[in-house]
Amino acid sequence: MKLHLFSSIKAQKFRVALIVSALFISAASLIYSHYLTRALYVEEVAKMDVWAQAMRSLATADEHTDLNLVLKVINSNHTIPVIVTDAHGTILTQRNLHPEPSGPDSLQQLQQVAARMRQQGEVLRMDLAATDNAPHEYIYIAYQESVLLRQLTIYPYVQLVVVAIFFGVAVAALLAAKRAEQNRVWVGLSRETAHQLGTPISSLMAWSEVLRESYPDDELLPEMDKDIRRLQLIAERFSKIGSAPELQRQDVRPIVQQVAAYYDRRSSARVHVHVDLPAVKVEAAVNAPLFEWVIENLCKNAIDAMQSGGELTLALRRNVVMHHGHPYMQILVSDTGKGIPHKRFKTVFTPGFTTKRRGWGLGLSLAKRIVEVYHHGRIYVYDSQVGKGTTFAIELREDVG
């Protein structure tokens, strides 16, 4: 348990460091991109001011104006969208619009774009030289930020999405690696347990035969044989962990009945075991030794939760829920014990989680693996109230063929 706790703390610190690193990279990227965007925007505003001066010089040119320089400045703008209008809103010229308006209503489209630019405040007013005929003439130069500037503005958010995707993939890979490592540990532990149980079980079988020859009429020998067979069953279960078990179509009722009968004989007299089974067969594809183990785990936890005695109920329901168009049966294991807080409904299946002073906290984790991975079913806390009891549910696809 200490090793598992240390590993969990180490993994949590690594995840926190990964999150902090991702946030730092994202913040640094946003700040630097904002700096570049702002610098480019200031540069474009300065360029437009020079371009507007050139347009003013072109509009007020006389025989002494150097048009070559003016035209060179005007034609140098290849990126910034701009529309020039007179005081009455008439379009004089336009450059770098994407997409460029076309068709019979192109002039109207240009006027709408120019009006939108003016509303956004990206407009320069250039007064022209006054004449006798036009003493107060001026032009409006409306413009937008360039495509490059818009792309640079969006780039930080694209980068954030990329960082988020990378972070998600990294976390998923870490979790997958952790699960794979845990699976290898559980599989190795289970198979080693099965191997270690083999020798004492063989010895017990031999001693049982010796006792049977010496005391053939002893009433305790049949019970001893039952416990030896149960130890063999437990060793078989542990040996199956990590390999794909063979599923067989069979009636689930005898499995539930057998578990209930076993704990009714082995549990305290203060614990009363009840079974609620349907009168007709409930068939499913199961591996009996492993599936029986799941129900036993739930029953054992229920009995442990009722230290002062109580009611243990095993109920089997047919065709309770539908998943992907198929009927699923439901096995409910209920107790009247101390209950589980709602916030722990999911964590009870985490490897290493236990509320007992002794124990590895592997029972429910293995049960979840057997039900969901091997039998493609579902196991979860159906209901629980602190001080009143808990109900676990197992859902398994019915074989109605």
Side-chain angles (χ1 to χ4, degrees):
M1 289 299 294
K2 290 183 178 179
L3 179 62
H4 176 74
L5 181 61
F6 175 77
S7 178
S8 299
I9 294 174
K10 186 176 180 181
Q12 184 176 3
K13 287 183 177 179
F14 183 78
R15 286 196 294 269
V16 170
L18 191 62
I19 293 173
V20 171
S21 300
L23 292 176
F24 176 78
I25 293 172
S26 301
S29 175
L30 283 175
I31 294 173
Y32 186 66
S33 298
H34 177 74
Y35 168 77
L36 291 179
T37 303
R38 186 62 184 174
L40 184 58
Y41 176 77
V42 172
E43 183 179 351
E44 287 191 353
V45 171
K47 286 182 178 180
M48 284 309 304
D49 187 61
V50 174
W51 197 87
Q53 295 292 341
M55 284 296 300
R56 179 182 182 183
S57 299
L58 181 63
T60 59
D62 54 22
E63 64 275 9
H64 303 291
T65 304
D66 185 1
L67 293 179
N68 290 328
L69 179 60
V70 171
L71 292 175
K72 185 176 181 179
V73 172
I74 292 175
N75 293 329
S76 66
N77 177 23
H78 301 292
T79 58
I80 304 174
V82 61
I83 299 177
V84 182
T85 64
D86 62 13
H88 306 290
T90 303
I91 303 296
L92 300 179
T93 186
Q94 58 87 14
R95 294 179 66 89
N96 305 321
L97 293 182
H98 302 285
E100 187 172 346
S102 60
D105 60 342
S106 59
L107 185 61
Q108 183 179 359
Q109 294 178 32
L110 285 173
Q111 290 175 342
Q112 292 174 352
V113 174
R116 185 166 59 251
M117 291 178 178
R118 287 196 296 269
Q119 290 176 356
Q120 294 173 353
E122 297 172 335
V123 61
L124 297 173
R125 172 176 165 170
M126 304 302 296
D127 292 320
L128 305 179
T131 63
D132 294 338
N133 297 327
H136 300 292
E137 282 294 323
Y138 55 87
I139 59 174
Y140 283 115
I141 301 174
Y143 64 96
Q144 288 179 331
E145 57 187 21
S146 65
V147 175
L148 177 62
L149 182 57
R150 288 199 295 270
Q151 291 176 345
L152 189 59
T153 304
I154 299 173
Y155 174 73
Y157 302 100
V158 176
Q159 196 172 27
L160 282 179
V161 173
V162 173
V163 170
I165 293 175
F166 170 78
F167 177 73
V169 171
V171 170
L174 287 173
L175 293 177
K178 181 181 178 182
R179 283 194 297 267
E181 182 181 359
Q182 288 177 343
N183 289 338
R184 288 192 295 269
V185 172
W186 306 146
V187 169
L189 177 63
S190 299
R191 291 184 174 176
E192 180 63 20
T193 302
H195 177 71
Q196 294 294 336
L197 285 173
T199 301
I201 289 174
S202 299
S203 298
L204 287 172
M205 293 174 65
W207 283 112
S208 176
E209 291 298 325
V210 171
L211 290 174
R212 184 172 286 102
E213 292 178 359
S214 302
Y215 308 98
D217 299 326
D218 196 315
E219 296 180 355
L220 296 179
L221 286 176
E223 293 298 322
M224 183 182 295
D225 289 338
K226 290 181 181 179
D227 287 334
I228 292 174
R229 287 195 296 270
R230 180 161 186 82
L231 286 173
Q232 289 178 306
L233 177 61
I234 292 173
E236 180 186 357
R237 290 169 177 171
F238 276 107
S239 67
K240 290 181 181 293
I241 297 298
S243 58
E246 182 180 353
L247 305 182
Q248 295 180 347
R249 177 182 175 183
Q250 55 188 295
D251 188 3
V252 181
R253 295 180 302 166
I255 299 177
V256 178
Q257 183 67 57
Q258 184 174 343
V259 175
Y262 175 82
Y263 278 101
D264 191 25
R265 293 192 304 268
R266 297 297 192 276
S267 60
S268 168
R270 294 175 298 179
V271 175
H272 304 284
V273 181
H274 305 282
V275 183
D276 184 6
L277 302 176
V280 297
K281 289 184 177 181
V282 183
E283 294 187 335
V286 298
N287 180 278
L290 290 181
F291 195 70
E292 186 178 335
W293 190 9
V294 172
I295 303 175
E296 287 179 4
N297 263 308
L298 297 181
C299 290
K300 186 177 185 304
N301 287 339
I303 293 172
D304 290 342
M306 299 184 295
Q307 297 179 355
S308 300
E311 305 285 335
L312 172 62
T313 304
L314 286 78
L316 177 59
R317 300 285 183 265
R318 295 185 65 247
N319 196 13
V320 175
V321 293
M322 297 288 292
H323 292 306
H324 306 292
H326 299 286
Y328 276 64
M329 70 174 189
Q330 190 178 67
I331 299 175
L332 300 177
V333 180
S334 306
D335 65 66
T336 55
K338 55 186 178 182
I340 302 172
H342 190 274
K343 63 181 180 181
R344 292 186 176 179
F345 276 16
K346 293 183 179 180
T347 56
V348 294
F349 296 100
T350 304
F353 178 87
T354 180
T355 57
K356 307 171 190 176
R357 293 184 179 180
R358 295 182 179 180
W360 291 67
L362 301 180
L364 288 177
S365 175
L366 289 172
K368 184 178 181 68
R369 179 182 178 86
I370 292 170
V371 172
E372 298 186 355
V373 177
Y374 295 156
H375 292 83
H376 309 291
R378 185 183 176 210
I379 182 172
Y380 58 97
V381 180
Y382 184 82
D383 184 33
S384 185
Q385 297 183 34
V386 177
K388 294 185 177 181
T390 301
T391 299
F392 280 88
I394 302 171
E395 293 177 359
L396 200 63
R397 177 177 171 179
E398 290 186 43
D399 195 334
V400 295

